Amino acid sequence: MIIAVDGPAAAGKGTLARRLAQHFGLGFLDTGALYRAAALRALESGGDPADPAVAEAAARRVSPEDIGDRRLREERVAQAASIVSAIPGVRAALLQFQRDFAARPPGAVLDGRDIGTVVCPGADVKIYVTASLEARAERRFQELRRAGEAVIYERVLQDMKDRDERDSARRTAPLRPADDAIVLDTTDLDAEATFQAALAAIEKKLAGKHRRDAR
Ligand code: CDP
């Protein structure tokens, strides 16, 4: 079983995807971490992350060990990730790893921007998690504060707006819900309520699928 969880920054994708993976006994991949790792490698090389040659070389060097690096969560890395991720060669370099991960039995939950549309268009369940810009900025602000970063709310809000625009406007794999995605607005839902709403929608979807398969 493959579950695709997509949506904009700080909508609650990661928390939901992790819980779904645990609930269904599936693997979990945070695909944003791969783009963040490519961005961090590009920044560390001293080159410009917007330069396709620099970004593609960095993406090709990304390895599973990179995912644990704490620096990936820094805001400068998030911004650079949304720059490198608009470069087609970067997306191509990271695509097979994601597909191989999803194909490994018994299946997986992947969270990102284009899982339901590009990486796993045949996923059994697709969820698009969203929330108002203000709710997402507030969540990210609290998250960064807890991590000890010196942050200003207005700055976080602006960074998120910039990133949303870049992610939605890019030509390759823009952020958008798949036609067959379940859309979940978490503006007024906490993590538990989000999980319960997703679970109810998934069970309904799978029951419909089984009925169709049995016919
Ligand atoms: O945690 P947050 O939602 O803030 O970001 P993330 O999921 O770690 O993704 C960081 C950046 O990587 C995003 O702003 C996207 O530009 C890019 N990304 C992407 O293009 N495709 C994905 N499947 C995942 C992330």
Side-chain angles (χ1 to χ4, degrees), residues 3 16 22 64 95 115 120 131 137 139 151 165 178 188:
I3 302 180
L16 174 63
Q22 205 172 23
L95 185 60
I115 309 304
C120 304
R139 285 177 200 165
V151 282
E165 272 164 24
D188 299 313

Side-chain angles (χ1 to χ4, degrees), residues 9 13 31 36 82 85 91 113-114 140 163 167 170:
K13 299 181 304 284
T31 67
R36 285 172 181 260
S82 102
S85 71
R91 306 202 71 85
R113 300 289 186 289
D114 63 336
R140 183 52 43 94
R163 202 140 66 89
D167 291 351
R170 70 181 176 220

